Amino acid sequence: MTPDPWASAATIARDVRARTLSATAVVAAALHSIAARNPALNAFTDVVLARAQARAAALDRGAAPRGPLAGVPFAVKNLFDVAGLVTRAGSRINRDNPPAARDATLVARLEQAGAVLVGALNMGEYAYDFTGQNVHDGASRNPHDRAHMTGGSSGGSAAAVAGGMVPLALASDTNGSIRVPASLCGLFGLKPTFGRLSRAGTFPFVASLDHVGPLARSTEDLALAYDAMAGHDPADPACQDRAAEPAVPALARGAAGLRIAVLGGYFQRGAAAEALAAVTTCVDALGVAATVELPEAARARGAAFVITATEAAALHHDRLRRRAQDFDPDVRDRLLAGALIPAPYVVQAQRFRRWYREQVLRVFADVDVLLAPATPCVAPRIGQATFVLDGAEMPVRPNLGVFTQPLSFIGLPVVAVPLPGPHLPIGVQVIAAPWRETDALRVAATLEAAGVAQAMRPANS
Amino acid sequence: MTLDDAELDRMIATAGLQGLSVPAEWHAAVRANLRVTLTRAAEVAAFPLPDTTEPAPVFVA
C-alpha cells in the first residue's frame, strides 16, 4: 500500500496497526511531502528526520507501542519543547537558549500513542499574533492561496496540516491562536477547557489564558489526539486532576439530545457576510432555533486584551530591558505598552473575569452548545494592515480574534469547524460548557457527517 | 477615556523607572498601543463589581 499524504490520522493508524502499511513508509511520505510543499508554505522551521525515521522503524519492528495513533506523523508549533531542538517560540532571542533537554508532555503522550514527531512549526513571535507572519522566519502561507495569511499565531501548524504535510499538528491558543488559523486555513481545531491539557514543556505567553490543543482535517482525528493527550500532569500547575472523558466513543452519539443555540449580539456585529453565512449554514443543518447572548462580551474581550498585554510584558520584562531591539517591532511595542499599564487595571480585569464566568455559566444552564463565527472574515492578504470591522477601519493583527477572545477568556472548550468557500474557507466556533469538550466534538462530527463542515484539499495541491 | 499624546508621552517617560528604554523612533507605536490598552482597561474598570469579587486566579495552598 502506498501512503497517501492526505490520509486521515485514523486511517493511517488503522493501516499501520493492521500492518498493511509500514510506519516507515508513512513517515517517508510525510518527509517527502514536507520537502516538496514546505518551500512554498513556510510551515516548518525544523525537521527531525533522523528521529522520525528511527521512531518509525521502532514501530515497525514492534519496539514501540502501536497505539491509537500508530505511525501518524505530527508536528508541533515551535513553542513546544522537542529534545535536542532550541525552543524558539517564534523569536530571535530564544535562539540563544540551549536545546530542550526533553520533550513537552504532549509530545511524549502523542508518541506514547504511536505517533511520530517529524518537526517544529513556524509561529508568530512569542505567540503575540493573529496573522501567521513572522519577521524572523517569514510568513507561513495559506495553502488555499499563498498570497493570503494562515492566521496566527499557530500559522505553521495550520499550513502544515492544510497543506498536506502532516495530518495532525499541535498548537497553542491564548486568545484564538488555534481557532483563527483553523478558520483561515479550513481546518478542525480544538481549544480544550483551560486546565484540561498539560502545557508543561511549552514556552508560555499569558499564564492566565494559555491553552494547547490539536489541529487536524477531521473531527475524529481531533478526538484521537485529544484522548491520547488528556490526563493530569503535575508539571503544569494549571492542569486539573480530572477523570478522563474519552471523546472518540462519544462521537457516534451525534448531536442528539444536545440543546444548541446561536450567539447573537456581539457575535453577529461586524462579521463579514461570509462569516455570518457560515454560521447560518450550521444553524440550518442542526435545526437550531434559539439565539442567546453573552453579557458584556465586548468588555470581556477588553479584559482579555489587558491581561494579555500586562502578563506578557511581565514575562518578557527582562528581555525588554536587555534586548528590546531583537524583538519583532510589532510585538515589542505592544509589550512595552503593556509594561506601562497600572496594576489596578490588571487586577480589575481578573476580577471582571470571575464575574463574567459566573454569568456565562448561567447561560449554560439552559443550553449545551453555542455557535459563533471563528473569524470576522476569510484570510486577509499577507501584509494587509487593516480591514473593516463593524463599519470602522481597524488593524488586522489584534482584531482577527474579536470573536475568539471572549470565549478563551474564561477557558470554554471550543471546536473550530471549517466551511468551504468559493475562494477561501472560513470557520465556525462550536462552544461547550467547561469540561464538556465531548459535546462540542459531537456537534462538530455531526456537521462533518452532514457534509457541512469539511477540510477541503487546496485546489492547487 | 480621552488620552492626548502628551499624557501618553508622560507615561512612556516613566519606562526608565523600570529599566526600560523607549527610543524616540518607537514612541508613536508604543503610544498607539498604550492608548488602545488603557482605553480597554478603563472600560473594564468602569464596570461595577462587588468588593467581594475575587480575581479569577485564586492561589490554592
Side-chain angles (χ1 to χ4, degrees), chain A residues 167-219:
Chain A
L168 177 67
L170 295 187
S172 65
D173 186 318
T174 301
N175 285 298
S177 287
I178 289 175
R179 294 160 289 158
V180 168
S183 177
L184 301 193
C185 290
L187 293 171
F188 294 85
L190 169 62
K191 185 207 74 64
T193 308
F194 182 79
R196 173 71 88 175
L197 295 183
S198 172
R199 308 172 301 184
T202 65
F203 194 83
F205 173 24
V206 180
S208 290
L209 305 173
D210 288 343
H211 307 67
V212 287
L215 285 160
R217 296 191 294 261
S218 74
T219 311

Side-chain angles (χ1 to χ4, degrees), chain A residues 142-430:
Chain A
N142 193 315
H144 294 276
D145 185 333
R146 295 196 292 267
H148 287 253
M149 294 176 181
T150 53
S153 62
S154 312
S157 301
V161 178
M165 291 184 266
V166 285
L168 177 67
L170 295 187
S172 65
D173 186 318
T174 301
N175 285 298
S177 287
I178 289 175
R179 294 160 289 158
V180 168
S183 177
L184 301 193
C185 290
L187 293 171
F188 294 85
L190 169 62
K191 185 207 74 64
T193 308
F194 182 79
R196 173 71 88 175
L197 295 183
S198 172
R199 308 172 301 184
T202 65
F203 194 83
F205 173 24
V206 180
S208 290
L209 305 173
D210 288 343
H211 307 67
V212 287
L215 285 160
R217 296 191 294 261
S218 74
T219 311
E220 183 182 20
D221 286 1
L222 284 188
L224 276 168
Y226 170 74
D227 285 350
M229 295 188 291
H232 180 53
D233 180 8
D236 175 2
C239 188
Q240 299 295 302
D241 190 0
R242 295 177 63 93
E245 297 165 62
V248 171
L251 297 184
R253 286 155 52 199
L258 294 175
R259 300 164 297 171
I260 307 173
V262 64
L263 280 176
Y266 173 90
F267 291 91
Q268 295 191 3
R269 282 196 296 273
E274 63 265 24
L276 295 175
V279 174
T280 300
T281 300
C282 294
V283 164
D284 292 346
L286 295 164
V288 174
T291 299
V292 300
E293 292 195 25
L294 301 187
E296 299 290 344
R299 211 181 303 263
R301 182 182 178 231
F305 197 97
V306 172
I307 292 168
T308 298
T310 53
E311 275 198 29
L315 176 70
H316 292 290
H317 199 265
D318 187 53
R319 280 176 284 274
L320 287 169
R321 288 165 50 138
R322 291 185 297 107
R323 300 187 62 175
Q325 72 285 356
D326 291 333
F327 280 81
D328 174 341
D330 284 342
V331 173
R332 178 198 64 212
D333 296 339
R334 295 173 84 180
L335 293 173
L336 284 170
L340 296 170
I341 300 300
Y345 285 145
V346 185
V347 176
Q348 186 70 0
Q350 289 285 12
R351 295 178 69 234
F352 176 80
R353 187 181 181 206
R354 182 167 298 281
W355 177 89
Y356 178 69
R357 171 187 175 274
E358 289 166 2
Q359 306 309 307
V360 174
L361 291 187
R362 286 180 192 163
V363 172
F364 279 110
D366 299 317
V367 66
D368 299 306
V369 170
L370 301 165
L371 304 174
T375 51
C377 57
V378 297
R381 295 181 73 83
I382 289 173
Q384 183 177 329
T386 63
F387 62 176
V388 175
L389 185 66
D390 207 10
E393 186 163 5
M394 303 287 281
V396 168
R397 189 180 179 112
N399 286 303
L400 275 170
V402 64
F403 297 131
T404 53
Q405 282 183 278
L407 305 170
S408 39
F409 179 52
I410 50 168
L412 301 177
V414 184
V415 176
V417 300
L419 275 76
H423 174 208
L424 293 164
I426 193 163
V428 170
Q429 295 185 94
V430 180

Side-chain angles (χ1 to χ4, degrees), chain A residues 73-145:
Chain A
F74 76 102
V76 297
K77 185 174 183 173
N78 69 27
L79 56 66
F80 283 80
D81 285 350
V82 173
L85 293 184
V86 172
T87 308
R88 65 174 81 179
S91 72
R92 173 181 169 187
I93 294 169
N94 282 31
R95 285 169 220 213
D96 294 342
N97 293 344
R102 63 186 65 80
D103 293 337
T105 294
L106 296 193
V107 172
R109 287 184 178 174
L110 286 179
E111 289 211 324
Q112 285 161 10
V116 180
L117 180 75
V118 297
L121 298 159
N122 199 356
M123 60 176 282
E125 186 180 73
Y126 290 128
Y128 209 168
D129 168 59
F130 279 133
T131 68
Q133 297 175 118
N134 182 297
V135 74
H136 313 294
D137 292 312
S140 50
R141 294 181 175 273
N142 193 315
H144 294 276
D145 185 333

Side-chain angles (χ1 to χ4, degrees), chain B residues 21-61:
Chain B
S21 174
V22 185
E25 61 269 28
W26 300 355
H27 264 230
V30 174
R31 192 190 300 128
N33 281 294
L34 193 52
R35 177 176 278 117
V36 171
T37 311
L38 281 170
T39 301
R40 294 197 171 151
E43 288 165 0
V44 175
F47 189 77
L49 290 170
D51 288 342
T52 51
T53 301
E54 290 269 1
V58 174
F59 179 75
V60 179

